[in-house]
Amino acid sequence: MTIRSVVDELSNDSIRPRFSQRGLTFESICDECNEHRLGREYDPALRDFTYAARPYAKSVLTLPRMAILPCVPQRVARAVIGHLLAAVPDAQIGRPVLASPAYDAMREYFLNPGLALPNRLAIGCWPFPTEEVVVVRGLILGGGTMHLAMGSILKFYPLAFWVFYGELAGHPSIVNLLPTRTFSMDHESLIALDFGARPHPRFPEGPGDHGSPMFSGERALIARPRGAKRPFR
């Protein structure tokens, strides 16, 4: 994989990316969280949800563009939040964790399997049929066609997730992953995603009609298979 900061991706084509045989990885969490909580408890639900979406991402010409996908939202939500919490810049690994209302709520939810999704968090999902992994921690989006939105982004083929701190942003393609916060851990829902009306691949980290994004360059990374084409901006 080639790995670049989102800032370099959007502003300067000439900056050489770094290369990784292991993809975009972060060695920032303990074995208990990585192997047990993520690997055994939550990631299988995230894997099943994304695998169910893959046929729709490959071709919107041969399949109905509206996909109705089975999902275990409490486990998927914890998997997404766990991976975002683990996405710590190398310079901060080993230092005290970042304390903030948003990250504190995310950590409490991830570590406590009996907790409903906190009222100050919301999780949006939309199609992302692009061969990239995008991680943006601490994004603020203001102006444009959307109201002020704050949160963190995790995007990988074929779905994207936005953990909002506050209300779910009003983009028509964003679906609420957990409209009922008190679903049981193993409650299964059906999530409807429109693969024919998905936003631009650079949504929301790239500037556009939806607003102007703000984030720290070291907390925003893009990885893609070496040789893969970059999406149009």
Side-chain angles (χ1 to χ4, degrees):
M1 306 276 292
T2 62
I3 301 174
R4 298 163 61 98
S5 75
V6 173
V7 174
D8 292 344
E9 177 80 6
L10 295 175
S11 63
N12 193 332
D13 293 343
S14 65
I15 295 179
R16 182 177 175 82
R18 63 184 175 94
F19 300 94
S20 172
Q21 295 288 348
R22 300 171 57 200
L24 185 57
T25 59
F26 301 92
E27 298 181 2
S28 58
I29 59 175
C30 66
D31 290 343
E32 171 68 16
C33 286
N34 186 48
E35 296 180 9
H36 178 72
R37 288 190 172 92
L38 278 176
R40 299 178 188 175
E41 294 296 325
Y42 305 139
D43 271 349
L46 178 61
R47 176 201 61 208
D48 292 346
F49 183 40
T50 56
Y51 276 26
R54 288 190 171 192
Y56 297 89
K58 289 179 180 177
S59 176
V60 296
L61 300 177
T62 59
L63 291 171
R65 73 181 207 172
M66 183 62 71
I68 310 297
L69 307 176
C71 176
V72 183
Q74 288 284 12
R75 293 187 182 273
V76 171
R78 283 177 166 85
V80 169
I81 285 176
H83 285 291
L84 283 169
L85 290 172
V88 177
D90 290 345
Q92 293 185 1
I93 293 178
R95 296 182 179 182
V97 296
L98 179 65
S100 74
Y103 290 119
D104 291 347
M106 290 166 65
R107 274 190 287 269
E108 184 180 9
Y109 175 68
F110 175 74
L111 293 171
N112 186 347
L115 193 67
L117 183 69
N119 289 331
R120 51 191 164 176
L121 298 180
I123 303 177
C125 176
W126 66 93
F128 184 68
T130 304
E131 290 186 294
E132 292 182 341
V133 179
V134 181
V135 178
V136 183
R137 283 174 43 122
L139 179 141
I140 300 174
L141 185 65
T145 59
M146 295 177 63
H147 61 70
L148 181 67
M150 298 180 289
S152 296
I153 308 294
L154 175 63
K155 305 195 295 185
F156 59 96
Y157 183 86
L159 298 176
F161 301 89
W162 188 340
V163 179
F164 291 89
Y165 181 62
E167 296 181 3
L168 201 71
H171 192 284
S173 298
I174 297 178
V175 174
N176 194 342
L177 186 69
L178 260 172
T180 302
R181 299 171 180 274
T182 56
F183 279 153
S184 67
M185 181 65 78
D186 293 311
H187 173 89
E188 185 172 289
S189 298
L190 294 176
I191 305 294
L193 296 173
D194 190 345
F195 278 81
R198 58 189 182 270
H200 190 278
R202 284 287 164 263
F203 171 82
E205 71 276 4
D209 294 340
H210 51 269
S212 300
M214 295 177 286
F215 51 83
S216 168
E218 65 178 4
R219 299 174 182 272
L221 298 173
I222 293 178
R224 69 170 58 88
R226 191 168 185 174
K229 294 182 179 179
R230 298 167 64 180
F232 292 110
R233 297 175 190 169

